[in-house]
PDB file of all heavy atoms in Angstrom:
ATOM      1  N   ASN A 227       0.848  -1.192   0.000  1.00  0.00           N
ATOM      2  CA  ASN A 227       0.000   0.000   0.000  1.00  0.00           C
ATOM      3  C   ASN A 227       0.880   1.236   0.000  1.00  0.00           C
ATOM      4  O   ASN A 227       2.098   1.145  -0.004  1.00  0.00           O
ATOM      5  CB  ASN A 227      -0.935  -0.007   1.223  1.00  0.00           C
ATOM      6  CG  ASN A 227      -0.165  -0.206   2.520  1.00  0.00           C
ATOM      7  OD1 ASN A 227       0.761   0.535   2.807  1.00  0.00           O
ATOM      8  ND2 ASN A 227      -0.539  -1.223   3.290  1.00  0.00           N
ATOM      9  N   ASP A 228       0.239   2.382   0.016  1.00  0.00           N
ATOM     10  CA  ASP A 228       0.977   3.638   0.050  1.00  0.00           C
ATOM     11  C   ASP A 228       0.856   4.315   1.407  1.00  0.00           C
ATOM     12  O   ASP A 228       0.914   5.538   1.514  1.00  0.00           O
ATOM     13  CB  ASP A 228       0.487   4.573  -1.058  1.00  0.00           C
ATOM     14  CG  ASP A 228       0.985   4.132  -2.427  1.00  0.00           C
ATOM     15  OD1 ASP A 228       2.106   3.615  -2.494  1.00  0.00           O
ATOM     16  OD2 ASP A 228       0.256   4.305  -3.408  1.00  0.00           O
ATOM     17  N   PHE A 229       0.687   3.504   2.439  1.00  0.00           N
ATOM     18  CA  PHE A 229       0.662   4.039   3.791  1.00  0.00           C
ATOM     19  C   PHE A 229       2.039   3.853   4.423  1.00  0.00           C
ATOM     20  O   PHE A 229       2.695   2.828   4.221  1.00  0.00           O
ATOM     21  CB  PHE A 229      -0.408   3.340   4.633  1.00  0.00           C
ATOM     22  CG  PHE A 229      -1.803   3.628   4.171  1.00  0.00           C
ATOM     23  CD1 PHE A 229      -2.510   2.694   3.430  1.00  0.00           C
ATOM     24  CD2 PHE A 229      -2.414   4.841   4.463  1.00  0.00           C
ATOM     25  CE1 PHE A 229      -3.796   2.946   2.985  1.00  0.00           C
ATOM     26  CE2 PHE A 229      -3.699   5.109   4.029  1.00  0.00           C
ATOM     27  CZ  PHE A 229      -4.401   4.166   3.300  1.00  0.00           C
ATOM     28  N   PRO A 230       2.486   4.815   5.226  1.00  0.00           N
ATOM     29  CA  PRO A 230       3.801   4.696   5.850  1.00  0.00           C
ATOM     30  C   PRO A 230       3.891   3.501   6.794  1.00  0.00           C
ATOM     31  O   PRO A 230       2.889   3.015   7.311  1.00  0.00           O
ATOM     32  CB  PRO A 230       3.956   6.018   6.622  1.00  0.00           C
ATOM     33  CG  PRO A 230       2.998   6.952   5.976  1.00  0.00           C
ATOM     34  CD  PRO A 230       1.845   6.107   5.524  1.00  0.00           C
ATOM     35  N   LEU A 231       5.126   3.056   7.024  1.00  0.00           N
ATOM     36  CA  LEU A 231       5.404   1.926   7.895  1.00  0.00           C
ATOM     37  C   LEU A 231       5.922   2.400   9.252  1.00  0.00           C
ATOM     38  O   LEU A 231       6.564   3.441   9.351  1.00  0.00           O
ATOM     39  CB  LEU A 231       6.466   1.016   7.267  1.00  0.00           C
ATOM     40  CG  LEU A 231       6.138   0.339   5.941  1.00  0.00           C
ATOM     41  CD1 LEU A 231       7.411  -0.234   5.334  1.00  0.00           C
ATOM     42  CD2 LEU A 231       5.106  -0.760   6.148  1.00  0.00           C
ATOM     43  N   ALA A 232       5.666   1.591  10.265  1.00  0.00           N
ATOM     44  CA  ALA A 232       6.289   1.801  11.570  1.00  0.00           C
ATOM     45  C   ALA A 232       7.441   0.820  11.774  1.00  0.00           C
ATOM     46  O   ALA A 232       8.242   0.979  12.695  1.00  0.00           O
ATOM     47  CB  ALA A 232       5.265   1.634  12.688  1.00  0.00           C
ATOM     48  N   SER A 233       7.532  -0.168  10.908  1.00  0.00           N
ATOM     49  CA  SER A 233       8.514  -1.238  11.080  1.00  0.00           C
ATOM     50  C   SER A 233       9.942  -0.771  10.805  1.00  0.00           C
ATOM     51  O   SER A 233      10.182   0.160  10.040  1.00  0.00           O
ATOM     52  CB  SER A 233       8.178  -2.414  10.166  1.00  0.00           C
ATOM     53  OG  SER A 233       8.427  -2.079   8.813  1.00  0.00           O
ATOM     54  N   CYS A 234      10.888  -1.454  11.460  1.00  0.00           N
ATOM     55  CA  CYS A 234      12.309  -1.170  11.299  1.00  0.00           C
ATOM     56  C   CYS A 234      13.069  -2.493  11.238  1.00  0.00           C
ATOM     57  O   CYS A 234      12.558  -3.534  11.666  1.00  0.00           O
ATOM     58  CB  CYS A 234      12.832  -0.352  12.476  1.00  0.00           C
ATOM     59  SG  CYS A 234      11.985   1.219  12.723  1.00  0.00           S
ATOM     60  N   GLU A 235      14.273  -2.447  10.712  1.00  0.00           N
ATOM     61  CA  GLU A 235      15.112  -3.639  10.671  1.00  0.00           C
ATOM     62  C   GLU A 235      16.583  -3.242  10.679  1.00  0.00           C
ATOM     63  O   GLU A 235      16.931  -2.089  10.390  1.00  0.00           O
ATOM     64  CB  GLU A 235      14.783  -4.506   9.455  1.00  0.00           C
ATOM     65  CG  GLU A 235      14.792  -3.781   8.116  1.00  0.00           C
ATOM     66  CD  GLU A 235      14.238  -4.674   7.006  1.00  0.00           C
ATOM     67  OE1 GLU A 235      14.867  -5.717   6.728  1.00  0.00           O
ATOM     68  OE2 GLU A 235      13.201  -4.329   6.426  1.00  0.00           O
ATOM     69  N   VAL A 236      17.425  -4.218  11.045  1.00  0.00           N
ATOM     70  CA  VAL A 236      18.855  -3.942  11.186  1.00  0.00           C
ATOM     71  C   VAL A 236      19.651  -4.887  10.302  1.00  0.00           C
ATOM     72  O   VAL A 236      19.426  -6.106  10.305  1.00  0.00           O
ATOM     73  CB  VAL A 236      19.302  -4.102  12.657  1.00  0.00           C
ATOM     74  CG1 VAL A 236      20.822  -3.975  12.769  1.00  0.00           C
ATOM     75  CG2 VAL A 236      18.633  -3.063  13.539  1.00  0.00           C
ATOM     76  N   TYR A 237      20.584  -4.316   9.538  1.00  0.00           N
ATOM     77  CA  TYR A 237      21.505  -5.115   8.729  1.00  0.00           C
ATOM     78  C   TYR A 237      22.702  -5.490   9.581  1.00  0.00           C
ATOM     79  O   TYR A 237      23.402  -4.628  10.131  1.00  0.00           O
ATOM     80  CB  TYR A 237      21.975  -4.319   7.510  1.00  0.00           C
ATOM     81  CG  TYR A 237      22.969  -5.061   6.648  1.00  0.00           C
ATOM     82  CD1 TYR A 237      22.560  -6.091   5.802  1.00  0.00           C
ATOM     83  CD2 TYR A 237      24.323  -4.722   6.664  1.00  0.00           C
ATOM     84  CE1 TYR A 237      23.461  -6.769   5.007  1.00  0.00           C
ATOM     85  CE2 TYR A 237      25.231  -5.391   5.863  1.00  0.00           C
ATOM     86  CZ  TYR A 237      24.798  -6.415   5.039  1.00  0.00           C
ATOM     87  OH  TYR A 237      25.706  -7.080   4.247  1.00  0.00           O
ATOM     88  N   GLN A 238      22.923  -6.792   9.719  1.00  0.00           N
ATOM     89  CA  GLN A 238      24.063  -7.297  10.472  1.00  0.00           C
ATOM     90  C   GLN A 238      25.269  -7.400   9.527  1.00  0.00           C
ATOM     91  O   GLN A 238      25.342  -8.287   8.681  1.00  0.00           O
ATOM     92  CB  GLN A 238      23.729  -8.672  11.066  1.00  0.00           C
ATOM     93  CG  GLN A 238      22.466  -8.698  11.910  1.00  0.00           C
ATOM     94  CD  GLN A 238      22.623  -7.939  13.213  1.00  0.00           C
ATOM     95  OE1 GLN A 238      23.721  -7.868  13.777  1.00  0.00           O
ATOM     96  NE2 GLN A 238      21.529  -7.362  13.698  1.00  0.00           N
ATOM     97  N   ALA A 239      26.200  -6.469   9.664  1.00  0.00           N
ATOM     98  CA  ALA A 239      27.321  -6.384   8.727  1.00  0.00           C
ATOM     99  C   ALA A 239      28.193  -7.630   8.749  1.00  0.00           C
ATOM    100  O   ALA A 239      28.766  -8.015   7.727  1.00  0.00           O
ATOM    101  CB  ALA A 239      28.156  -5.148   9.045  1.00  0.00           C
ATOM    102  N   ALA A 240      28.303  -8.282   9.893  1.00  0.00           N
ATOM    103  CA  ALA A 240      29.175  -9.457  10.011  1.00  0.00           C
ATOM    104  C   ALA A 240      28.621 -10.658   9.265  1.00  0.00           C
ATOM    105  O   ALA A 240      29.387 -11.486   8.751  1.00  0.00           O
ATOM    106  CB  ALA A 240      29.388  -9.806  11.483  1.00  0.00           C
ATOM    107  N   THR A 241      27.304 -10.775   9.186  1.00  0.00           N
ATOM    108  CA  THR A 241      26.689 -11.954   8.565  1.00  0.00           C
ATOM    109  C   THR A 241      25.990 -11.638   7.235  1.00  0.00           C
ATOM    110  O   THR A 241      25.608 -12.549   6.514  1.00  0.00           O
ATOM    111  CB  THR A 241      25.662 -12.571   9.517  1.00  0.00           C
ATOM    112  OG1 THR A 241      24.628 -11.603   9.800  1.00  0.00           O
ATOM    113  CG2 THR A 241      26.322 -12.994  10.820  1.00  0.00           C
ATOM    114  N   GLY A 242      25.809 -10.350   6.934  1.00  0.00           N
ATOM    115  CA  GLY A 242      25.117  -9.986   5.697  1.00  0.00           C
ATOM    116  C   GLY A 242      23.642 -10.311   5.716  1.00  0.00           C
ATOM    117  O   GLY A 242      23.053 -10.581   4.669  1.00  0.00           O
ATOM    118  N   THR A 243      23.039 -10.289   6.888  1.00  0.00           N
ATOM    119  CA  THR A 243      21.618 -10.613   7.018  1.00  0.00           C
ATOM    120  C   THR A 243      20.876  -9.470   7.699  1.00  0.00           C
ATOM    121  O   THR A 243      21.473  -8.622   8.378  1.00  0.00           O
ATOM    122  CB  THR A 243      21.418 -11.900   7.841  1.00  0.00           C
ATOM    123  OG1 THR A 243      22.009 -11.724   9.136  1.00  0.00           O
ATOM    124  CG2 THR A 243      22.074 -13.090   7.140  1.00  0.00           C
ATOM    125  N   TRP A 244      19.553  -9.475   7.528  1.00  0.00           N
ATOM    126  CA  TRP A 244      18.681  -8.468   8.145  1.00  0.00           C
ATOM    127  C   TRP A 244      17.862  -9.113   9.248  1.00  0.00           C
ATOM    128  O   TRP A 244      17.393 -10.236   9.106  1.00  0.00           O
ATOM    129  CB  TRP A 244      17.744  -7.868   7.104  1.00  0.00           C
ATOM    130  CG  TRP A 244      18.434  -7.050   6.058  1.00  0.00           C
ATOM    131  CD1 TRP A 244      18.996  -7.505   4.893  1.00  0.00           C
ATOM    132  CD2 TRP A 244      18.641  -5.636   6.070  1.00  0.00           C
ATOM    133  NE1 TRP A 244      19.542  -6.464   4.182  1.00  0.00           N
ATOM    134  CE2 TRP A 244      19.335  -5.303   4.882  1.00  0.00           C
ATOM    135  CE3 TRP A 244      18.310  -4.621   6.976  1.00  0.00           C
ATOM    136  CZ2 TRP A 244      19.689  -3.992   4.573  1.00  0.00           C
ATOM    137  CZ3 TRP A 244      18.658  -3.308   6.673  1.00  0.00           C
ATOM    138  CH2 TRP A 244      19.350  -3.005   5.483  1.00  0.00           C
ATOM    139  N   GLN A 245      17.663  -8.360  10.328  1.00  0.00           N
ATOM    140  CA  GLN A 245      16.829  -8.808  11.442  1.00  0.00           C
ATOM    141  C   GLN A 245      15.811  -7.730  11.798  1.00  0.00           C
ATOM    142  O   GLN A 245      16.144  -6.537  11.791  1.00  0.00           O
ATOM    143  CB  GLN A 245      17.685  -9.128  12.669  1.00  0.00           C
ATOM    144  CG  GLN A 245      18.621 -10.310  12.491  1.00  0.00           C
ATOM    145  CD  GLN A 245      19.431 -10.607  13.741  1.00  0.00           C
ATOM    146  OE1 GLN A 245      19.353  -9.886  14.727  1.00  0.00           O
ATOM    147  NE2 GLN A 245      20.212 -11.673  13.689  1.00  0.00           N
ATOM    148  N   THR A 246      14.597  -8.161  12.091  1.00  0.00           N
ATOM    149  CA  THR A 246      13.558  -7.217  12.483  1.00  0.00           C
ATOM    150  C   THR A 246      13.934  -6.530  13.788  1.00  0.00           C
ATOM    151  O   THR A 246      14.399  -7.168  14.730  1.00  0.00           O
ATOM    152  CB  THR A 246      12.204  -7.934  12.647  1.00  0.00           C
ATOM    153  OG1 THR A 246      11.861  -8.549  11.408  1.00  0.00           O
ATOM    154  CG2 THR A 246      11.119  -6.958  13.041  1.00  0.00           C
ATOM    155  N   ALA A 247      13.726  -5.217  13.837  1.00  0.00           N
ATOM    156  CA  ALA A 247      13.971  -4.441  15.050  1.00  0.00           C
ATOM    157  C   ALA A 247      12.631  -3.934  15.584  1.00  0.00           C
ATOM    158  O   ALA A 247      11.595  -4.063  14.926  1.00  0.00           O
ATOM    159  CB  ALA A 247      14.900  -3.270  14.753  1.00  0.00           C
ATOM    160  N   ALA A 248      12.661  -3.373  16.773  1.00  0.00           N
ATOM    161  CA  ALA A 248      11.438  -2.832  17.363  1.00  0.00           C
ATOM    162  C   ALA A 248      10.842  -1.769  16.445  1.00  0.00           C
ATOM    163  O   ALA A 248      11.573  -0.981  15.831  1.00  0.00           O
ATOM    164  CB  ALA A 248      11.743  -2.239  18.737  1.00  0.00           C
ATOM    165  N   GLY A 249       9.521  -1.753  16.336  1.00  0.00           N
ATOM    166  CA  GLY A 249       8.848  -0.778  15.495  1.00  0.00           C
ATOM    167  C   GLY A 249       8.588   0.534  16.229  1.00  0.00           C
ATOM    168  O   GLY A 249       8.530   0.589  17.464  1.00  0.00           O
ATOM    169  N   MET A 250       8.443   1.604  15.460  1.00  0.00           N
ATOM    170  CA  MET A 250       8.151   2.916  16.033  1.00  0.00           C
ATOM    171  C   MET A 250       6.711   2.978  16.531  1.00  0.00           C
ATOM    172  O   MET A 250       5.861   2.168  16.163  1.00  0.00           O
ATOM    173  CB  MET A 250       8.381   4.002  14.980  1.00  0.00           C
ATOM    174  CG  MET A 250       9.813   4.122  14.507  1.00  0.00           C
ATOM    175  SD  MET A 250      10.006   5.366  13.205  1.00  0.00           S
ATOM    176  CE  MET A 250       9.234   4.507  11.811  1.00  0.00           C
ATOM    177  N   ALA A 251       6.425   3.986  17.350  1.00  0.00           N
ATOM    178  CA  ALA A 251       5.057   4.212  17.801  1.00  0.00           C
ATOM    179  C   ALA A 251       4.215   4.796  16.672  1.00  0.00           C
ATOM    180  O   ALA A 251       3.005   4.561  16.599  1.00  0.00           O
ATOM    181  CB  ALA A 251       5.048   5.144  19.010  1.00  0.00           C
ATOM    182  N   MET A 252       4.856   5.551  15.785  1.00  0.00           N
ATOM    183  CA  MET A 252       4.170   6.193  14.656  1.00  0.00           C
ATOM    184  C   MET A 252       4.658   5.594  13.343  1.00  0.00           C
ATOM    185  O   MET A 252       5.808   5.171  13.235  1.00  0.00           O
ATOM    186  CB  MET A 252       4.447   7.696  14.645  1.00  0.00           C
ATOM    187  CG  MET A 252       3.880   8.448  15.828  1.00  0.00           C
ATOM    188  SD  MET A 252       2.086   8.599  15.762  1.00  0.00           S
ATOM    189  CE  MET A 252       1.889   9.597  14.280  1.00  0.00           C
ATOM    190  N   THR A 253       3.776   5.570  12.353  1.00  0.00           N
ATOM    191  CA  THR A 253       4.201   5.215  11.001  1.00  0.00           C
ATOM    192  C   THR A 253       4.862   6.429  10.364  1.00  0.00           C
ATOM    193  O   THR A 253       4.411   7.561  10.563  1.00  0.00           O
ATOM    194  CB  THR A 253       3.006   4.760  10.159  1.00  0.00           C
ATOM    195  OG1 THR A 253       2.033   5.816  10.112  1.00  0.00           O
ATOM    196  CG2 THR A 253       2.365   3.507  10.733  1.00  0.00           C
ATOM    197  N   ARG A 254       5.917   6.201   9.588  1.00  0.00           N
ATOM    198  CA  ARG A 254       6.658   7.322   9.007  1.00  0.00           C
ATOM    199  C   ARG A 254       7.208   6.972   7.628  1.00  0.00           C
ATOM    200  O   ARG A 254       7.610   5.842   7.379  1.00  0.00           O
ATOM    201  CB  ARG A 254       7.842   7.726   9.895  1.00  0.00           C
ATOM    202  CG  ARG A 254       7.466   8.129  11.293  1.00  0.00           C
ATOM    203  CD  ARG A 254       8.687   8.511  12.123  1.00  0.00           C
ATOM    204  NE  ARG A 254       8.311   8.695  13.513  1.00  0.00           N
ATOM    205  CZ  ARG A 254       7.812   9.816  14.002  1.00  0.00           C
ATOM    206  NH1 ARG A 254       7.653  10.869  13.218  1.00  0.00           N
ATOM    207  NH2 ARG A 254       7.480   9.910  15.278  1.00  0.00           N
ATOM    208  N   ALA A 255       7.237   7.984   6.766  1.00  0.00           N
ATOM    209  CA  ALA A 255       7.906   7.904   5.465  1.00  0.00           C
ATOM    210  C   ALA A 255       8.302   9.319   5.062  1.00  0.00           C
ATOM    211  O   ALA A 255       7.656  10.289   5.465  1.00  0.00           O
ATOM    212  CB  ALA A 255       6.987   7.288   4.416  1.00  0.00           C
ATOM    213  N   GLY A 256       9.367   9.441   4.290  1.00  0.00           N
ATOM    214  CA  GLY A 256       9.833  10.766   3.900  1.00  0.00           C
ATOM    215  C   GLY A 256      10.382  11.558   5.070  1.00  0.00           C
ATOM    216  O   GLY A 256      10.457  12.787   5.019  1.00  0.00           O
ATOM    217  N   HIS A 257      10.789  10.876   6.127  1.00  0.00           N
ATOM    218  CA  HIS A 257      11.257  11.513   7.348  1.00  0.00           C
ATOM    219  C   HIS A 257      12.780  11.649   7.331  1.00  0.00           C
ATOM    220  O   HIS A 257      13.436  11.307   6.348  1.00  0.00           O
ATOM    221  CB  HIS A 257      10.816  10.681   8.562  1.00  0.00           C
ATOM    222  CG  HIS A 257      11.198   9.244   8.436  1.00  0.00           C
ATOM    223  ND1 HIS A 257      10.513   8.348   7.634  1.00  0.00           N
ATOM    224  CD2 HIS A 257      12.214   8.523   8.985  1.00  0.00           C
ATOM    225  CE1 HIS A 257      11.086   7.164   7.694  1.00  0.00           C
ATOM    226  NE2 HIS A 257      12.124   7.241   8.512  1.00  0.00           N
ATOM    227  N   ALA A 258      13.332  12.130   8.446  1.00  0.00           N
ATOM    228  CA  ALA A 258      14.778  12.259   8.592  1.00  0.00           C
ATOM    229  C   ALA A 258      15.217  11.539   9.856  1.00  0.00           C
ATOM    230  O   ALA A 258      14.450  11.400  10.805  1.00  0.00           O
ATOM    231  CB  ALA A 258      15.180  13.731   8.657  1.00  0.00           C
ATOM    232  N   ALA A 259      16.463  11.069   9.857  1.00  0.00           N
ATOM    233  CA  ALA A 259      17.018  10.384  11.015  1.00  0.00           C
ATOM    234  C   ALA A 259      18.470  10.807  11.198  1.00  0.00           C
ATOM    235  O   ALA A 259      19.189  11.044  10.224  1.00  0.00           O
ATOM    236  CB  ALA A 259      16.933   8.865  10.838  1.00  0.00           C
ATOM    237  N   VAL A 260      18.892  10.897  12.448  1.00  0.00           N
ATOM    238  CA  VAL A 260      20.273  11.264  12.747  1.00  0.00           C
ATOM    239  C   VAL A 260      20.712  10.535  14.016  1.00  0.00           C
ATOM    240  O   VAL A 260      19.924  10.346  14.943  1.00  0.00           O
ATOM    241  CB  VAL A 260      20.416  12.799  12.910  1.00  0.00           C
ATOM    242  CG1 VAL A 260      19.611  13.309  14.096  1.00  0.00           C
ATOM    243  CG2 VAL A 260      21.864  13.212  13.026  1.00  0.00           C
ATOM    244  N   LYS A 261      21.973  10.103  14.043  1.00  0.00           N
ATOM    245  CA  LYS A 261      22.511   9.431  15.221  1.00  0.00           C
ATOM    246  C   LYS A 261      23.077  10.462  16.186  1.00  0.00           C
ATOM    247  O   LYS A 261      23.867  11.332  15.801  1.00  0.00           O
ATOM    248  CB  LYS A 261      23.596   8.422  14.820  1.00  0.00           C
ATOM    249  CG  LYS A 261      24.123   7.596  15.986  1.00  0.00           C
ATOM    250  CD  LYS A 261      25.109   6.542  15.518  1.00  0.00           C
ATOM    251  CE  LYS A 261      26.387   7.164  15.006  1.00  0.00           C
ATOM    252  NZ  LYS A 261      27.405   6.159  14.648  1.00  0.00           N
ATOM    253  N   LEU A 262      22.687  10.350  17.453  1.00  0.00           N
ATOM    254  CA  LEU A 262      23.172  11.250  18.479  1.00  0.00           C
ATOM    255  C   LEU A 262      24.530  10.787  19.004  1.00  0.00           C
ATOM    256  O   LEU A 262      24.997   9.699  18.687  1.00  0.00           O
ATOM    257  CB  LEU A 262      22.170  11.324  19.630  1.00  0.00           C
ATOM    258  CG  LEU A 262      20.737  11.716  19.248  1.00  0.00           C
ATOM    259  CD1 LEU A 262      19.853  11.759  20.492  1.00  0.00           C
ATOM    260  CD2 LEU A 262      20.712  13.052  18.528  1.00  0.00           C
ATOM    261  N   ARG A 263      25.143  11.626  19.816  1.00  0.00           N
ATOM    262  CA  ARG A 263      26.469  11.302  20.351  1.00  0.00           C
ATOM    263  C   ARG A 263      26.476  10.045  21.202  1.00  0.00           C
ATOM    264  O   ARG A 263      27.473   9.317  21.263  1.00  0.00           O
ATOM    265  CB  ARG A 263      26.991  12.484  21.173  1.00  0.00           C
ATOM    266  CG  ARG A 263      27.529  13.644  20.336  1.00  0.00           C
ATOM    267  CD  ARG A 263      28.081  14.722  21.242  1.00  0.00           C
ATOM    268  NE  ARG A 263      28.777  15.750  20.490  1.00  0.00           N
ATOM    269  CZ  ARG A 263      29.323  16.830  21.054  1.00  0.00           C
ATOM    270  NH1 ARG A 263      29.243  16.993  22.369  1.00  0.00           N
ATOM    271  NH2 ARG A 263      29.951  17.717  20.315  1.00  0.00           N
ATOM    272  N   ASP A 264      25.362   9.781  21.881  1.00  0.00           N
ATOM    273  CA  ASP A 264      25.309   8.616  22.755  1.00  0.00           C
ATOM    274  C   ASP A 264      24.902   7.342  22.028  1.00  0.00           C
ATOM    275  O   ASP A 264      24.720   6.297  22.655  1.00  0.00           O
ATOM    276  CB  ASP A 264      24.369   8.873  23.930  1.00  0.00           C
ATOM    277  CG  ASP A 264      22.929   9.158  23.498  1.00  0.00           C
ATOM    278  OD1 ASP A 264      22.615   8.998  22.293  1.00  0.00           O
ATOM    279  OD2 ASP A 264      22.119   9.541  24.363  1.00  0.00           O
ATOM    280  N   GLY A 265      24.757   7.415  20.709  1.00  0.00           N
ATOM    281  CA  GLY A 265      24.437   6.237  19.918  1.00  0.00           C
ATOM    282  C   GLY A 265      22.966   6.049  19.637  1.00  0.00           C
ATOM    283  O   GLY A 265      22.596   5.217  18.800  1.00  0.00           O
ATOM    284  N   ARG A 266      22.104   6.795  20.324  1.00  0.00           N
ATOM    285  CA  ARG A 266      20.677   6.708  20.035  1.00  0.00           C
ATOM    286  C   ARG A 266      20.370   7.383  18.699  1.00  0.00           C
ATOM    287  O   ARG A 266      21.168   8.171  18.188  1.00  0.00           O
ATOM    288  CB  ARG A 266      19.860   7.352  21.154  1.00  0.00           C
ATOM    289  CG  ARG A 266      19.917   6.623  22.483  1.00  0.00           C
ATOM    290  CD  ARG A 266      19.073   7.351  23.522  1.00  0.00           C
ATOM    291  NE  ARG A 266      19.550   8.718  23.733  1.00  0.00           N
ATOM    292  CZ  ARG A 266      18.855   9.662  24.374  1.00  0.00           C
ATOM    293  NH1 ARG A 266      17.644   9.384  24.854  1.00  0.00           N
ATOM    294  NH2 ARG A 266      19.366  10.872  24.542  1.00  0.00           N
ATOM    295  N   VAL A 267      19.209   7.070  18.139  1.00  0.00           N
ATOM    296  CA  VAL A 267      18.826   7.594  16.828  1.00  0.00           C
ATOM    297  C   VAL A 267      17.567   8.428  16.976  1.00  0.00           C
ATOM    298  O   VAL A 267      16.551   7.962  17.504  1.00  0.00           O
ATOM    299  CB  VAL A 267      18.581   6.450  15.827  1.00  0.00           C
ATOM    300  CG1 VAL A 267      18.134   7.005  14.477  1.00  0.00           C
ATOM    301  CG2 VAL A 267      19.850   5.612  15.666  1.00  0.00           C
ATOM    302  N   LEU A 268      17.618   9.668  16.493  1.00  0.00           N
ATOM    303  CA  LEU A 268      16.462  10.562  16.497  1.00  0.00           C
ATOM    304  C   LEU A 268      15.780  10.500  15.140  1.00  0.00           C
ATOM    305  O   LEU A 268      16.434  10.613  14.103  1.00  0.00           O
ATOM    306  CB  LEU A 268      16.899  12.000  16.782  1.00  0.00           C
ATOM    307  CG  LEU A 268      15.804  13.074  16.673  1.00  0.00           C
ATOM    308  CD1 LEU A 268      14.775  12.913  17.786  1.00  0.00           C
ATOM    309  CD2 LEU A 268      16.428  14.471  16.702  1.00  0.00           C
ATOM    310  N   VAL A 269      14.457  10.316  15.152  1.00  0.00           N
ATOM    311  CA  VAL A 269      13.661  10.279  13.931  1.00  0.00           C
ATOM    312  C   VAL A 269      12.541  11.304  14.050  1.00  0.00           C
ATOM    313  O   VAL A 269      11.872  11.383  15.095  1.00  0.00           O
ATOM    314  CB  VAL A 269      13.061   8.879  13.694  1.00  0.00           C
ATOM    315  CG1 VAL A 269      12.109   8.892  12.519  1.00  0.00           C
ATOM    316  CG2 VAL A 269      14.168   7.871  13.455  1.00  0.00           C
ATOM    317  N   ALA A 270      12.318  12.085  13.003  1.00  0.00           N
ATOM    318  CA  ALA A 270      11.278  13.111  13.035  1.00  0.00           C
ATOM    319  C   ALA A 270      10.880  13.489  11.614  1.00  0.00           C
ATOM    320  O   ALA A 270      11.573  13.176  10.649  1.00  0.00           O
ATOM    321  CB  ALA A 270      11.769  14.350  13.788  1.00  0.00           C
TER     322      ALA A 270
END
């Protein structure tokens, strides 16, 4: 569909595989993301 997703996933560089990660509270598309100094990721 053309509705935004809340789902996320992580690419494991060592194995070349993807794993499902925790989903966001909101569905999002066309958004921006940036990694903070403490390693957390801000999405808005």
Side-chain angles (χ1 to χ4, degrees):
N227 53 55
D228 286 326
F229 293 102
L231 297 167
S233 71
C234 302
E235 52 189 296
V236 173
Y237 178 75
Q238 306 291 329
T241 61
T243 58
W244 293 86
Q245 294 181 356
T246 301
M250 296 177 287
M252 295 288 296
T253 58
R254 301 180 189 276
H257 52 283
V260 64
K261 185 175 68 175
L262 305 180
R263 283 183 172 178
D264 61 9
R266 293 180 300 166
V267 178
L268 174 68
V269 173

